[in-house]
């Protein structure tokens, strides 16, 4: 949607066709794991009337191959489409555990699409009270566990010492684990999964998850949140393109695919030079909705204004984890120290991730203005340093132009980061 809006906003007059294997119009996918909303009309980003008014054609089909030399797209239905400019925005494919039982038993779910949500809610049922095992202690797993915990018995199985440890670190992960635990969610951390076993009452359905230490967790349904892979399977054997080791496409700052003319990649499938604090142009792939939208806007803007310099943005994301977690920045080259402010024991904090003196990322709970202000300071290259933070400097006191300060404050009130551009969805 970011690309579509940017193209029309910037005056692109050519025809636009969107090909998607999902039957629904583009949706706000973040609401699937955060709220398990099964109705596509309630999460669609724009109604059909918007696409009609913008002269954008939508096609429900699946791309099977692309002939880059002749600029043709081939689909599974046997149709072909010509293009002058191509934006690849295929997103991610949820990973399935390659272990006994997971592919064979019913009520084992991935979570990416509206039908996935519908399947989960059907298995939970109206009476609820189910034993639910969520495998994966990162954001998708934690969000869906939080969503289902009120009326079900939910257990999260994770390989890390603390949930979200890979991104947030163990100290912040511990804070969030305590918040989620208070909602009744149980945790089995540093645990390995052995297999899924069938139910005694219905051998076609899952009945338990067996861990490597011999523990058996009762499970009426299982939800996997163990990550996604770039959805580029249809390009795997294409000799005109070289995929990165993770299956993504290498792009430049405008999200144009390196080595291909007139082809752009955005969102989960794009590896691009990250120039945020501590990035130094490091090739980076980020699986956040905000980055997908902003990379789409960058690609659309570049198509209309090919000689224009890229417009920088700072990645942000938000997560529903009992309280709302906000995060800006990125850590492609790691971080070496965490500066924690606020009242962490009360779930109210600002966490500054630093590399040397540079603050490379900021996370907050119940202190939203901090994250919004820091996102804008990062974008402008005048974020406070680690030493300044330790000496008591408050990022909220750092001056910005008055009009920017007002926008930043307003965005924090609605839970949006100031790194987003005006007009973005």
């Amino acid at each position: 949607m970011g690309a579509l809006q940017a193209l029309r906003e910037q005056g692109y007059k050519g025809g636009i066709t969107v090909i998607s294997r999902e039957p629904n119009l583009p949706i706000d996918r973040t609401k699937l794991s955060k709220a398990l909303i099964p109705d596509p009309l309630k999460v669609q980003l724009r109604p059909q009337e918007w696409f009609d008014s913008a002269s954008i054609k939508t096609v429900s089909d699946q791309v099977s191959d692309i002939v880059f030399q002749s600029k043709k797209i081939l689909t599974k239905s046997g149709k072909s489409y010509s293009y002058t400019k191509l934006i690849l925005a295929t997103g991610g494919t949820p990973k399935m555990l390659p272990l006994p039982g997971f592919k064979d038993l019913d009520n084992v779910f991935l979570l990416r699409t509206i039908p996935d949500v519908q399947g989960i809610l059907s298995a939970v049922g109206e009476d609820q009270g189910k034993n639910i095992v969520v495998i994966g202690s990162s954001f998708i797993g934690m969000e869906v566990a939080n969503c289902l915990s009120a009326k079900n018995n939910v257990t999260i199985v994770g390989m890390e010492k603390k949930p979200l440890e890979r991104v947030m670190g163990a100290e912040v992960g511990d804070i969030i684990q305590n918040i989620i635990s208070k909602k009744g969610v149980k945790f089995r951390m540093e645990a390995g999964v052995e297999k899924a076993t069938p139910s005694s009452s219905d051998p076609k359905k899952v009945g338990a998850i067996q861990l490597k230490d011999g523990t058996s967790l009762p499970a009426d349904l299982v939800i996997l949140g163990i990550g996604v892979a770039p959805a580029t399977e249809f390009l795997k054997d294409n000799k005109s393109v070289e995929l990165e080791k993770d299956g993504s496409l290498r792009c430049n700052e405008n999200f144009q695919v390196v080595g291909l003319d007139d082809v752009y990649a955005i969102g989960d499938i794009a590896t691009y030079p990250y120039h945020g604090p501590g990035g130094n142009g490091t090739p980076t792939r980020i699986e956040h909705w905000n980055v997908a939208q902003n990379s789409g806007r960058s690609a659309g803007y570049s198509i209309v204004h090919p000689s224009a310099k890229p417009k920088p943005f700072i990645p942000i994301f938000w997560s529903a984890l009992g309280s709302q977690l906000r995060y800006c920045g990125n850590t492609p080259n790691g971080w070496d120290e965490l500066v924690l402010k606020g009242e962490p024991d009360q779930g109210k904090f600002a966490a500054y991730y630093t590399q040397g003196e540079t603050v490379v990322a900021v996370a907050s709970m119940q202190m939203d203005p901090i994250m919004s202000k820091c996102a804008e300071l990062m974008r402008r290259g005048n974020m406070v340093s680690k030493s300044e933070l330790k000496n008591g400097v408050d990022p909220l006191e750092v001056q910005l132009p008055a009009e920017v300060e007002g926008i930043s404050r307003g965005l924090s009130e609605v839970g949006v980061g100031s790194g987003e551009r005006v007009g973005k969805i």
Side-chain angles (χ1 to χ4, degrees):
M1 281 301 302
L4 298 178
Q5 290 200 164
L7 286 167
R8 288 306 190 218
E9 287 170 3
Q10 296 301 318
Y12 183 75
K13 303 298 184 184
I16 300 177
T17 300
V18 178
I19 303 173
S20 173
R21 63 182 175 183
E22 294 184 42
N24 46 266
L25 292 173
I27 60 172
D28 182 354
R29 204 173 299 277
T30 65
K31 292 180 180 177
L32 301 190
S33 59
K34 291 175 173 62
L36 290 174
I37 297 175
D39 185 351
L41 295 179
K42 292 183 178 180
V43 293
Q44 67 181 17
L45 292 169
R46 293 289 183 271
Q48 183 63 54
E49 292 78 11
W50 183 88
F51 290 89
D52 294 340
S53 66
S55 298
I56 297 173
K57 180 182 179 182
T58 58
V59 175
S60 181
D61 203 343
Q62 186 170 349
V63 174
S64 57
D65 199 4
I66 300 174
V67 185
F68 292 103
Q69 297 89 336
S70 57
K71 294 188 173 182
K72 285 192 178 296
I73 299 165
L74 308 179
T75 70
K76 283 198 170 182
S77 69
K79 295 182 179 180
S80 67
Y81 298 84
S82 298
Y83 69 86
T84 53
K85 305 286 183 181
L86 175 63
I87 299 176
L88 299 172
T90 49
T93 300
K95 295 179 180 178
M96 171 65 75
L97 274 177
L99 297 172
F102 283 93
K103 289 186 178 180
D104 306 325
L105 295 171
D106 292 339
N107 285 0
V108 175
F109 298 98
L110 302 171
L111 180 52
R112 180 73 182 180
T113 66
I114 291 289
D116 293 334
V117 172
Q118 293 169 342
I120 290 169
L121 293 179
S122 176
V124 170
E126 292 185 4
D127 296 335
Q128 305 199 55
K130 297 297 193 294
N131 292 314
I132 302 174
V133 174
V134 177
I135 300 177
S137 58
S138 194
F139 292 100
I140 295 296
M142 294 282 283
E143 287 175 352
V144 73
N146 176 67
C147 186
L148 289 169
S149 63
K151 297 181 180 180
N152 298 282
N153 303 310
V154 182
T155 301
I156 293 176
V157 178
M159 297 180 65
E160 304 167 297
K161 290 183 180 180
K162 294 293 179 181
L164 308 173
E165 182 177 354
R166 184 180 63 83
V167 176
M168 311 297 297
E171 191 171 359
V172 172
D174 185 58
I175 296 169
I176 297 172
Q177 181 175 342
N178 289 335
I179 293 171
I180 298 293
S181 294
K182 290 176 181 177
K183 300 192 72 174
V185 177
K186 303 177 184 67
F187 286 85
R188 296 299 301 260
M189 301 305 298
E190 297 185 272
V193 175
E194 186 73 28
K195 61 183 176 180
T197 58
S199 167
S200 58
S201 60
D202 186 346
K204 292 183 179 180
K205 295 180 179 179
V206 68
I209 294 298
Q210 185 170 320
L211 304 182
K212 288 186 176 181
D213 66 2
T215 302
S216 182
L217 302 175
D220 297 306
L221 65 148
V222 175
I223 302 170
L224 297 178
I226 58 172
V228 301
T232 55
E233 301 93 341
F234 66 100
L235 294 174
K236 185 177 179 181
D237 298 320
N238 194 307
K239 299 187 183 303
S240 296
V241 63
E242 183 177 353
L243 298 176
E244 299 293 291
K245 289 183 179 180
D246 63 358
S248 65
L249 291 158
R250 179 71 69 94
C251 301
N252 63 19
E253 285 85 351
N254 287 316
F255 293 90
Q256 185 169 4
V257 177
V258 175
L260 290 176
D261 294 332
D262 301 319
V263 180
Y264 297 77
I266 60 176
D268 292 0
I269 65 171
T271 292
Y272 72 102
Y274 180 65
H275 292 290
N280 303 316
T282 300
T284 304
R285 188 174 73 86
I286 302 176
E287 298 169 355
H288 298 324
W289 186 88
N290 165 273
V291 173
Q293 297 301 316
N294 274 315
S295 60
R297 295 193 69 85
S298 294
Y301 190 88
S302 178
I303 288 172
V304 181
H305 307 287
S307 61
K309 291 183 179 180
K311 291 189 175 182
F313 63 89
I314 296 297
I316 71 162
F317 69 82
W318 59 97
S319 189
L321 301 171
S323 294
Q324 293 293 313
L325 174 73
R326 316 292 187 194
Y327 183 102
C328 67
N330 197 44
T331 59
N333 297 310
W335 51 276
D336 50 39
E337 189 173 350
L338 173 67
V339 180
L340 195 59
K341 300 282 188 177
E343 304 172 66
D345 292 343
Q346 304 301 316
K348 181 179 180 180
F349 65 86
Y352 301 89
Y353 298 84
T354 66
Q355 186 182 66
E357 280 295 305
T358 302
V359 176
V360 295
V362 178
S364 70
M365 268 189 166
Q366 301 188 61
M367 298 177 73
D368 290 352
I370 292 272
M371 189 284 294
S372 296
K373 183 65 171 286
C374 289
E376 185 61 25
L377 291 172
M378 287 179 177
R379 190 179 73 85
R380 290 171 173 265
N382 60 338
M383 178 62 189
V384 298
S385 68
K386 177 177 73 175
S387 294
E388 288 173 324
L389 287 169
K390 288 186 172 182
N391 289 331
V393 174
D394 184 351
L396 292 178
E397 300 302 319
V398 179
Q399 293 299 308
L400 289 172
E403 66 275 12
V404 176
E405 193 75 56
I407 293 173
S408 178
R409 191 182 306 112
L411 288 170
S412 72
E413 291 171 358
V414 296
V416 180
S418 62
E420 295 182 284
R421 300 182 206 158
V422 175
K424 182 186 152 323
I425 29 178

